Amino acid sequence: MRILVLGAGKMGSFFLDLLSFDHEMAVYDKDPKRMRFTYNCQRLSSLEEIGVFNPELVINAVTVKYTIVAFKEVMPYIGSDCIISDISSVKTGLKDYYATTGHRYVSTHPMFGPTFANLNQLSEENAIIISEGDYMGRIFFKDMYSRLGLNIYEYTFDEHDRTVAYSLSIPFVSTFVFAAVMKHQDAPGTTFKRHMNIAKGVLNEDDYLLQEILFNPYTSEQVANIRDEMTKLLDIIDHKDADAMKQYLTRIRDNVRKDIEIKQGK
């Protein structure tokens, strides 16, 4: 299959490397320097070259802010039979956009990302495939993600947004709060250092991506839950209520234990 990857960033390069031995690959990026370290693929420097390559599948891996912009830019240069796809972690506006294109489409979200995951060992990572996309497109990505050992889930666009609001907004907001109140430590403990590393990784993400995740319509409810829990915990601390603290710790340990048991299939 002829596959065009839009964007030669970390995820774009990952898909190029992954697919280049089984498919005819090409990459297009407005910044030629970003394509320097891509290999076993055609490096396209103009939109006209996309038309010559005539892709059968487009994987849009540009920064989330420009996902739809990139689609609109290349659309005049791809055939009507070409399947278009995105791997965006934020699906805002994509369902409506796809409906206007007349193209078959597939939307997925590889939830491992390049920031924290070991891209060579993904068996504990997840991927979401949007169930509203083209059947053959979904099969292609399902097969690819299966070969990577990913845990695959199929959600609608709405179910995806709800999942992202829970799985990303809670750790992101918790990290923001840590970063907002932290002070430099000459001799930081292990836990502090681990939180600091997480904060550095999260804050290295694109500002627009962080904004769109937090502006997800389902995020506010999740952040409100954090606020309520902080209020309960602060009240326990202010009153130095040992019994209440024991009950609180028991409850949250049970939450973690249940999650572990579910993952282990118990």
Side-chain angles (χ1 to χ4, degrees):
M1 182 185 292
R2 294 184 306 279
I3 302 175
L4 171 66
V5 174
L6 301 179
K10 292 180 179 179
M11 288 304 292
S13 297
F14 172 75
F15 278 96
L16 284 167
D17 293 345
L18 179 65
L19 297 168
S20 62
F21 294 100
D22 298 312
H23 301 277
E24 185 179 352
M25 302 298 298
V27 57
Y28 173 74
D29 196 299
K30 286 188 173 182
D31 183 357
K33 293 180 181 179
R34 290 167 64 89
M35 297 189 287
R36 286 180 298 177
F37 304 110
T38 58
Y39 66 97
N40 203 24
C41 67
Q42 296 185 40
R43 301 172 185 173
L44 309 183
S45 57
S46 70
L47 293 170
E48 288 74 19
E49 288 179 295
I50 293 176
V52 175
F53 180 69
N54 191 25
E56 298 169 87
L57 170 67
V58 172
I59 299 177
N60 191 335
V62 303
T63 304
V64 64
K65 182 178 182 179
Y66 299 107
T67 300
I68 293 178
V69 174
F71 272 140
K72 290 180 177 179
E73 189 174 31
V74 304
M75 203 63 69
Y77 301 90
I78 63 176
S80 59
D81 291 334
C82 180
I83 300 175
I84 57 177
S85 70
D86 75 275
I87 57 169
S88 176
S89 55
V90 176
K91 305 298 185 185
T92 304
L94 279 170
K95 181 179 181 179
D96 291 338
Y97 173 72
Y98 281 134
T100 70
T101 65
H103 280 263
R104 292 179 294 159
Y105 72 88
V106 57
S107 183
T108 75
H109 180 183
M111 298 186 72
F112 45 89
T115 301
F116 296 116
N118 177 0
L119 297 182
N120 295 313
Q121 178 56 261
L122 297 171
S123 61
E124 294 185 0
E125 304 296 343
N126 305 313
I128 293 174
I129 298 175
I130 301 301
S131 59
E132 294 155 277
D134 176 74
Y135 175 75
M136 293 307 298
R138 299 201 315 270
I139 292 298
F140 176 86
F141 278 92
K142 187 173 184 178
D143 178 67
M144 177 173 59
Y145 291 151
S146 294
R147 284 188 282 113
L148 290 172
L150 293 167
N151 301 296
I152 302 170
Y153 302 89
E154 290 202 29
Y155 295 151
T156 64
F157 278 106
D158 183 68
E159 288 169 339
H160 170 272
D161 289 348
R162 291 179 183 273
T163 299
V164 168
Y166 173 77
S167 65
L168 293 184
S169 65
I170 289 178
F172 279 17
V173 169
S174 300
T175 299
F176 290 171
V177 172
F178 167 80
V181 302
M182 60 150 286
K183 296 179 181 179
H184 172 72
Q185 299 288 311
D186 290 326
T190 301
T191 302
F192 184 93
K193 288 190 289 185
R194 288 178 177 174
H195 277 282
M196 176 61 80
N197 288 333
I198 292 173
K200 289 177 180 177
V202 169
L203 295 174
N204 194 45
E205 296 283 3
D206 178 75
D207 285 359
Y208 186 83
L209 170 64
L210 297 175
Q211 170 186 298
E212 288 302 295
I213 288 172
L214 294 181
F215 288 176
N216 180 319
Y218 302 108
T219 293
S220 180
E221 178 183 352
Q222 301 300 333
V223 177
N225 289 338
I226 295 176
R227 179 194 60 203
D228 293 344
E229 286 300 320
M230 291 300 295
T231 299
K232 294 175 185 176
L233 184 57
L234 184 60
D235 184 68
I236 293 171
I237 294 170
D238 286 343
H239 290 86
K240 295 181 174 57
D241 191 333
D243 290 336
M245 178 59 77
K246 183 176 181 179
Q247 293 173 10
Y248 188 85
L249 292 173
T250 298
R251 179 168 67 85
I252 62 177
R253 284 182 178 128
D254 283 344
N255 266 356
V256 173
R257 176 182 54 78
K258 289 176 183 177
D259 182 70
I260 293 173
E261 290 178 349
I262 290 173
K263 288 181 178 178
Q264 293 175 342
K266 293 183 178 180

